[in-house]
Amino acid sequence: MTEEFHRIRRLPPYVFAEVNAAKAKARAAAEDIVDLGMGNPDSPTPPHIVAKLIEAVQDPRTHRYSMSKGIPGLRRALAGYYDRRFGVKLNPETEVVATLGSKEGLANLATAISSPGDTILVPNPSYPIHQFGFIIAGASVRSLPCTPDDEMLAAIDRAVRHSVPKPTAVIVNFPSNPTAHIASIEFYRDLVALCRRHELFILSDLAYAELYFGTTPPPSVLEVPGAKDVTVEFTSLSKTYNMPGWRMGFAAGNERLIGALTRVKSYLDYGAFAPIQIAAAAALNGPQDTVAEMRTLYRERRDLLVKGLHAAGWEAPSPEGSMFLWAPIPEKFRHLGSVEFSKLLLARAKVAVAPGLGFGEHGDGHVRIALVENNQRIRQALRGIRSFLQGDNAGPALQGSDAPVEVEKELSGA
């Protein structure tokens, strides 16, 4: 009776567990840890959405079982969003299903469309559910390059030609968690053409569609003519409207895939609490100025963090989208790997980050830093990081530089 169950045996050790345990131990010792590890938005949900929840929950008719696929008004609201934002027409009856966050939708679609012997193509590094949902379902995963370019397209083509049986689906996630890459509509056109030619499903995770910092909003793969023949796309209200704990997401696109997900879900849940669905519809249909304010907030945090890290001697690229920095481990510490470096950063700088290994073996040279604390706390994190990097552990590359002066200017708001 000591042997683990089959599906549990297929899951690798939880990479984040060591860092989480160290973080919990530090906090139990009353240490002040700036937690930039989990992508958990810290801003409140906009008041008009909360007000709609309160209004709806006071109606006892909303206390009964809901609909697993989502109430009609919510599905119409999501279809309206796609029409306004992407110019994509969706049938809310057959091409949209509400999910308990995009994560649940991805996991249940994996159960619906895959079985042992199937192969799914997944970028590496990538958000863990992209591979683990299919591993739990019994399928095998083949890694792809994680950048939206010709290299990824060539890897997909090779995988189809050299895998027996050929892969079932490919996952894409742009803006990406954790790498923050953004795809162009030209990339999506090539991807759709390739997957239609090879009869390969596209599963697109668009959870960060509204978190971008340039002038051009990230596209949806469904904008490409013919994409609905092979594509289902997942979106979420968690980041767009600061609603992570509400657990509200959607799948949209190919009618066959939506039908499969809807059927599996009908056996597993009765949908989200009806007042949450009503409030989610209000979020999609209501004023969108809070979304622009959210982008401004994350842009300010990004700029502060990137500038402070550079001044401290840590060269981290500035992301064009998402709520994350995908930062290469400083050269002096790269031999440690991402887990040990994250633990060292926690112990010495009092800053928690997510080790890149948790997103796939090709992420082990990086850590993911989330923009989930206010500017004051980010400055506190930067002071800890500067002290750590430029102390005894810094080495000659940083000693005697003018980095401390630059950091002080940044931390003081100069």
Side-chain angles (χ1 to χ4, degrees), residues 384-406:
I385 291 170
R386 177 199 61 185
S387 177
F388 165 54
L389 292 180
Q390 298 177 356
D392 293 338
N393 297 296
L398 291 178
Q399 300 295 343
S401 74
D402 61 354
V405 176
E406 292 300 319

Side-chain angles (χ1 to χ4, degrees), residues 30 59 165 191 376:
D59 184 344
L191 177 68
Q376 179 180 344

Side-chain angles (χ1 to χ4, degrees), residues 67-393:
M67 299 177 65
S68 177
K69 66 186 294 185
I71 60 176
L74 177 59
R75 285 181 277 117
R76 288 194 297 269
L78 191 279
Y81 164 77
Y82 260 81
D83 193 7
R84 294 189 307 271
R85 173 69 164 79
F86 304 111
V88 172
K89 303 290 185 182
L90 294 170
N91 183 335
E93 291 302 316
T94 61
E95 295 177 334
V96 177
V97 59
T99 62
L100 307 179
S102 57
K103 185 175 183 179
E104 174 268 320
L106 281 158
N108 278 328
L109 184 64
T111 299
I113 70 170
S114 62
S115 57
D118 290 340
T119 299
I120 309 297
L121 306 180
V122 182
N124 189 336
S126 183
Y127 185 54
I129 196 63
H130 295 159
Q131 59 172 316
F132 294 148
F134 286 96
I135 290 173
I136 292 170
S140 299
V141 169
R142 178 166 174 164
S143 292
L144 295 173
C146 65
T147 52
D149 55 20
D150 290 343
E151 185 181 1
M152 175 183 274
L153 296 171
I156 294 171
D157 187 62
R158 283 195 305 272
V160 172
R161 289 187 288 107
H162 298 295
S163 298
V164 179
K166 76 178 184 67
T168 302
V170 57
I171 291 181
V172 292
N173 169 216
F174 305 110
S176 170
N177 176 9
T179 66
H181 293 310
I182 293 180
S184 66
I185 193 65
E186 290 77 19
F187 169 79
Y188 282 145
R189 288 195 189 102
D190 292 341
L191 177 68
V192 169
L194 177 65
C195 291
R196 291 184 70 186
R197 185 166 68 250
H198 288 309
E199 298 182 326
L200 190 66
F201 286 126
I202 301 170
L203 313 181
S204 171
D205 182 352
L206 197 62
Y208 296 90
E210 303 305 334
L211 251 176
Y212 58 91
F213 306 123
T215 57
T216 303
S220 161
V221 65
L222 291 174
E223 293 179 47
V224 177
K228 274 201 284 187
D229 293 343
V230 294
T231 303
V232 65
E233 189 160 69
F234 293 88
T235 55
S236 169
L237 302 191
S238 295
K239 312 306 189 293
T240 304
Y241 300 101
N242 291 313
M243 297 171 65
W246 299 55
R247 306 314 303 134
M248 196 76 256
F250 305 90
N254 180 267
E255 187 171 325
R256 181 183 171 199
L257 293 174
I258 294 297
L261 174 57
T262 301
R263 184 168 184 185
V264 166
K265 278 178 60 61
S266 71
Y267 285 93
L268 299 177
D269 68 69
Y270 286 107
F273 186 36
I276 291 178
Q277 297 191 52
I278 294 168
L284 291 165
N285 293 331
Q288 301 298 301
D289 54 322
T290 59
V291 181
E293 292 169 3
M294 174 269 302
R295 275 195 293 271
T296 299
L297 175 71
Y298 282 118
R299 184 185 295 110
E300 291 174 353
R301 292 178 178 183
R302 176 202 66 170
D303 293 346
L304 173 62
L305 185 57
V306 170
K307 186 176 180 181
L309 289 176
H310 285 189
W314 189 348
E315 295 300 319
S318 182
E320 297 180 6
S322 84
M323 57 190 297
F324 306 110
L325 269 68
W326 185 238
I329 298 172
E331 181 65 35
K332 181 175 177 62
F333 304 99
R334 201 159 296 168
H335 67 283
L336 296 175
S338 60
V339 174
E340 292 304 315
F341 175 73
S342 297
K343 289 162 66 176
L344 189 62
L345 196 67
L346 180 69
R348 302 288 179 83
K350 309 305 176 188
V351 176
V353 298
L357 184 62
F359 305 94
E361 65 270 26
H362 295 298
D364 199 25
H366 292 70
V367 294
R368 193 193 71 178
I369 309 175
L371 305 171
V372 293
E373 291 276 11
N374 61 39
N375 287 353
Q376 179 180 344
R377 294 285 283 173
I378 289 175
R379 289 189 176 97
Q380 178 181 331
L382 288 169
R383 285 192 292 269
I385 291 170
R386 177 199 61 185
S387 177
F388 165 54
L389 292 180
Q390 298 177 356
D392 293 338
N393 297 296

